[in-house]
Amino acid sequence: MPELSGLLTDLAEILQENGWLMTTAESCTGGMIAAACTDLAGSSNWFERGFVSYSNEAKTELLGVDAALIARQGAGREPLARAMVQGALAHSHAQVAVAVTGVAGPGGGSAAKPVGTVWFGWATPAGVVSEMRHFDGDRREVREATVQHALQRLLALSRRSFT
């Protein structure tokens, strides 16, 4: 995803100016956000680690997400995105984090949670923010749009936390 290079350069700059490290907790993107970050040379100065927590068990084991929350809410919901981003911070040395959970397709959707539905969680020193977005397209397009949005919003929130 070459169009991410400018966005990542800006994100790297703001994180380094603050002395912040970043972590990710990814489900539906399977590590694509972390991969995009580490594609940028010098990312070891600001990218601390990524958690690919695709299964519910991984969310519990790696991020400390309460299994009862997952059983009650299911994947691809706001409480899970918030728990994932908080877990990523708690299990890393980072100050900022992004988490994604949703339905990339082509299967797995429902009337309540159609394919393309993604919940995001972001954490900065200013707090935790969550948001749901719906992306059209095939699996690849949904996942790429998710990566783009996750990083754009993290940059915007990091800038706000910095000022």
Side-chain angles (χ1 to χ4, degrees), residues 27-30 32 54 101-109 113-118 135-144 146:
S27 186
C28 60
T29 50
M32 291 173 65
Y54 205 72
T101 178
V103 185
K113 194 171 46 178
V115 169
T117 302
V118 180
F135 301 109
D136 293 322
D138 63 18
R139 182 177 181 81
R140 180 187 56 77
E141 292 167 325
V142 168
R143 288 164 46 119
E144 287 179 356
T146 298

Side-chain angles (χ1 to χ4, degrees), residues 1-13 22 24 26 29 31-41 43 46 98 120 140-155 159:
M1 289 178 271
E3 66 277 359
L4 289 177
S5 62
L7 170 63
L8 286 166
T9 299
D10 292 347
L11 181 60
E13 184 177 302
M22 174 188 167
T24 62
E26 301 180 65
T29 50
M32 291 173 65
I33 299 169
C37 290
T38 58
D39 276 348
L40 186 66
S43 58
W46 53 272
V98 60
F120 296 82
R140 180 187 56 77
E141 292 167 325
V142 168
R143 288 164 46 119
E144 287 179 356
T146 298
V147 171
Q148 182 82 28
H149 184 70
L151 293 169
Q152 284 175 334
R153 189 85 157 100
L154 183 61
L155 175 60
R159 283 180 172 150

Side-chain angles (χ1 to χ4, degrees), residues 73-77 102-119 132 134:
Q73 295 289 326
R77 303 276 187 194
V103 185
S110 66
K113 194 171 46 178
V115 169
T117 302
V118 180
W119 272 97
M132 188 274 294
H134 178 47

Side-chain angles (χ1 to χ4, degrees), residues 52-77:
V52 177
S53 52
Y54 205 72
S55 71
N56 290 339
E57 293 80 13
K59 291 170 182 67
T60 299
E61 293 169 10
L62 296 174
L63 302 171
V65 174
D66 184 358
L69 171 75
I70 297 170
R72 265 193 328 273
Q73 295 289 326
R77 303 276 187 194

